[in-house]
Amino acid sequence: MQAPLFDPDKPRDRLLAAAARLFRRQGYAATTVREIGAEVGILSGSLFHHVRSKEEMLFAVMERVIAAMLADLRAELSRAEGGEARLRALIAVELTYLHGPAADATAVLFHEWRALSADRQAVLLDGRGAYFALWDQVLAEAGGAMDPAVLRQFLHGALAWTSFWYRPGGALDLDGLTAQALALVQGAALPLR
Amino acid sequence: MQAPLFDPDKPRDRLLAAAARLFRRQGYAATTVREIGAEVGILSGSLFHHVRSKEEMLFAVMERVIAAMLADLRAELSRAEGGEARLRALIAVELTYLHGPAADATAVLFHEWRALSADRQAVLLDGRGAYFALWDQVLAEAGGAMDPAVLRQFLHGALAWTSFWYRPGGALDLDGLTAQALALVQGAALPLR
Amino acid sequence: MQAPLFDPDKPRDRLLAAAARLFRRQGYAATTVREIGAEVGILSGSLFHHVRSKEEMLFAVMERVIAAMLADLRAELSRAEGGEARLRALIAVELTYLHGPAADATAVLFHEWRALSADRQAVLLDGRGAYFALWDQVLAEAGGAMDPAVLRQFLHGALAWTSFWYRPGGALDLDGLTAQALALVQGAALPLR
Amino acid sequence: MQAPLFDPDKPRDRLLAAAARLFRRQGYAATTVREIGAEVGILSGSLFHHVRSKEEMLFAVMERVIAAMLADLRAELSRAEGGEARLRALIAVELTYLHGPAADATAVLFHEWRALSADRQAVLLDGRGAYFALWDQVLAEAGGAMDPAVLRQFLHGALAWTSFWYRPGGALDLDGLTAQALALVQGAALPLR
DNA sequence: GATGAATGAGGGTTCATTCAT
DNA sequence: AATGAATGAACCCTCATTCAT
């Protein structure tokens, strides 16, 4: 990840970071604007100088992650040489977002999608689509036996679910987790090396 | 699955089935008791003759699925002979719940866990623990290279996530999906047959 | 007036009557739903069992007066014989509404029109148009020298304004006030008898 | 009218003119200080360097019109010779204010009176009383049959109401409208010439 | 003079829940 | 069992006003 998702020097970014934290911990619907205000040390009314509505916070958080993930994945893929390296990049980017500094925002994107209004979902679908197109491309290149679409969903599900159980700092570090995920798909649907 | 989760002849069961349906479609927090009432043709005030609170509905739905999944998995495992058959049973039960008649309740159990109060989560952990103990046992028996705990989480995530994209009735039927999931783990972390 | 505008036996009507009273006294924008609730002895949240929104109360109040005034004017005109009697009916109906039991609602209709959203204004314009069409017809029949449209606006303004200064129960009763208004227009723009 | 009500070179006056415009168009309660600021090109916080509160703007606008109308009516009456000329002056001043350059402020005075706090209303009552004393005097001099107090209210209402329907620049110019209003009262309550 | 972030009270509205009928 | 009016707390949001910069 080149740059942090939220700049601690910008009030609006501090707000979004706090919102992401709470949305992740409690869910969007269960988080009140008063709590978000308290998290950054202002009153709820003051939130609305930086943001038009509670939902705009959700949208902005998601927008940021989507753009950043897409940029990072593109960068990593352009650096990676060979099918395995590209595959590893796919997984590494996803897990880095899920458990690195952008963990809150990424979890929100993955698990609170339904809380976003249909209108706003539509706006984000482009970026999300571009991201998954890269996945499909890499998985197709790998030329495994399993339908790439199904494999993509399996892998995406397995990685997304790590946000519920995996905590970095334990016995298994992020590289280790990445290796395990890589082993999962390599053994499974892709031709053995 | 031996018996349907909710008996259409019992008013309370009809209520729970409706709640599960709406909780799944809209999320627990975004579903109002009015909507649940409307779904079964009564007014919101009348709900509380059958149920003590909205959260009790969530709890009851989850309790039912947990007990039923545990019973079904036990039954299937007792019938299955050999490592692969037991592994297949693991996956088949999970996918049958996720996409069969109990789909609503199962999706609620998997995706609305956070909406349940900590107290009530604790009550359910026993049954859930017993279920996953069976998983761990079967996966350990298979004796693969990957840490069974990690493999369990990967597999559980991959299967849980199917509720967001897989729809029975398409080109890929449930047996086919089961086969694909089986292939994923068999190729990966388990010794090749 | 055949029937009271609001039936004291119906909770919703009691609500509307209270709303009309407060809207008249304080203006629509300056009246809070909490005040309206207090006026009928319920909490603000309970208002919304009878009414969808604050603006719906404004709308409902106006709708009632409009329909009732139109019906009453039609009835009075059908009873009135001769130009002067019809003219007197015009004025009498208007003043009866402005200062009789429907005074609050009528004042709200006349003075809070702007507070209603354009959408809802449009819905009411039909009834209002029919009412003024009767005015134009009666004034045209009278065959005065002044443009009937201008005369109608002058007269309507003069009468509407009475809600700011005239109070029944003083030296001048409603019949007296009606007579004065009749004298105003008869002397002015209409041919002398 | 001798001088414009608001001097475009003075920032405070530009503010008041903008406030009058918006108060008239949307009503006092429905106008926000943000909108007033935007109308003159500053932010809402900066308003309060020129004015102590939103209500002070309303007060100041009304104060200006009241003083100016009184001065103008005095001047016009001192110039007018004969009962009819004085009567015409009465009406002409009123209509000139209602539809000339001071239209916004005058409409606000007439239709937003209730939005002013009782304290501030009291302050303005002197000037307003002096103005209406002139009306009563002129109407009494004319010696008609109708109670001058009632006639004054009828006429005031009829003229005030023109702000809702009359627009200068159409077929009927201000002089024409003045003539019609004069005819209304002359025919009515005043002795025929 | 102007800014813009912050305040804090209060706005309209929603909603799970209660209870007399 | 069901109704439906009522509760009361909490919700998101608005707005006039303040003040350090």
Side-chain angles (χ1 to χ4, degrees), chain D residues 67-149:
Chain D
M69 288 182 87
L70 180 56
D72 271 7
L73 181 56
R74 278 193 177 132
E76 291 300 323
L77 285 181
S78 74
R79 248 196 298 281
E81 299 191 355
E84 177 170 333
R86 291 170 64 80
L87 202 52
R88 180 190 304 274
L90 223 57
I91 295 169
V93 166
E94 192 93 351
L95 289 176
T96 302
Y97 270 84
L98 274 164
H99 301 288
D104 293 330
T106 309
V108 168
L109 170 64
F110 283 19
H111 302 296
E112 297 291 337
W113 181 253
R114 211 179 30 183
L116 202 63
S117 68
D119 288 0
R120 285 192 149 115
Q121 285 184 359
V123 176
L124 296 181
L125 277 182
D126 272 3
R128 208 61 190 135
Y131 183 80
F132 283 124
L134 291 176
W135 273 57
D136 286 341
Q137 183 185 326
V138 170
L139 290 174
E141 284 164 13
M146 191 182 290
D147 176 357

Side-chain angles (χ1 to χ4, degrees), chain B residues 5-180:
Chain B
L5 231 43
F6 304 109
D7 180 347
D9 289 340
K10 298 185 184 160
R12 188 171 195 269
D13 276 33
R14 277 201 306 277
L15 200 58
L16 294 180
R21 196 156 50 243
L22 292 173
F23 290 164
R24 182 206 190 165
R25 196 184 306 152
Q26 317 178 352
Y28 173 77
T31 301
T32 71
V33 296
R34 264 184 153 83
E35 290 170 320
I36 300 173
E39 191 87 359
V40 295
I42 61 175
L43 291 182
S44 72
S46 309
L47 285 185
F48 295 87
H49 289 277
H50 303 97
V51 123
R52 219 178 298 275
S53 71
K54 182 186 172 189
E55 204 201 346
E56 188 181 294
M57 294 190 239
L58 180 61
F59 177 81
V61 165
M62 290 181 170
E63 197 181 25
R64 293 267 181 110
V65 214
I66 288 175
M69 286 182 89
L70 180 56
D72 272 6
L73 182 55
R74 278 191 178 132
E76 292 299 322
L77 286 181
S78 74
R79 246 194 300 280
E81 299 189 356
E84 177 170 332
R86 293 170 63 79
L87 199 52
R88 179 189 305 274
L90 222 58
I91 294 170
V93 167
E94 192 93 352
L95 288 176
T96 303
Y97 270 84
L98 273 165
H99 301 289
D104 293 331
T106 309
V108 167
L109 171 63
F110 283 18
H111 302 296
E112 297 292 336
W113 181 254
R114 215 179 28 185
L116 202 64
S117 69
D119 289 359
R120 284 191 151 117
Q121 285 183 359
V123 176
L124 296 181
L125 277 182
D126 273 3
R128 209 62 188 133
Y131 183 79
F132 282 124
L134 291 177
W135 273 57
D136 286 340
Q137 183 185 326
V138 170
L139 290 174
E141 285 163 14
M146 192 182 287
D147 176 0
V150 172
L151 177 58
R152 190 244 279 172
Q153 298 282 17
F154 277 161
L155 179 57
H156 181 51
L159 298 183
W161 207 257
T162 61
S163 78
F164 291 135
W165 62 271
Y166 176 74
R167 290 291 166 266
L172 186 64
D173 66 7
L174 255 191
D175 280 348
L177 187 63
T178 303
Q180 301 254 31

Side-chain angles (χ1 to χ4, degrees), chain C residues 75-98:
Chain C
E76 292 300 323
L77 285 181
S78 75
R79 248 196 297 282
E81 299 191 355
E84 178 171 330
R86 291 170 64 80
L87 201 52
R88 181 189 303 274
L90 222 58
I91 295 170
V93 166
E94 191 92 351
L95 288 176
T96 301
Y97 271 84
L98 274 164

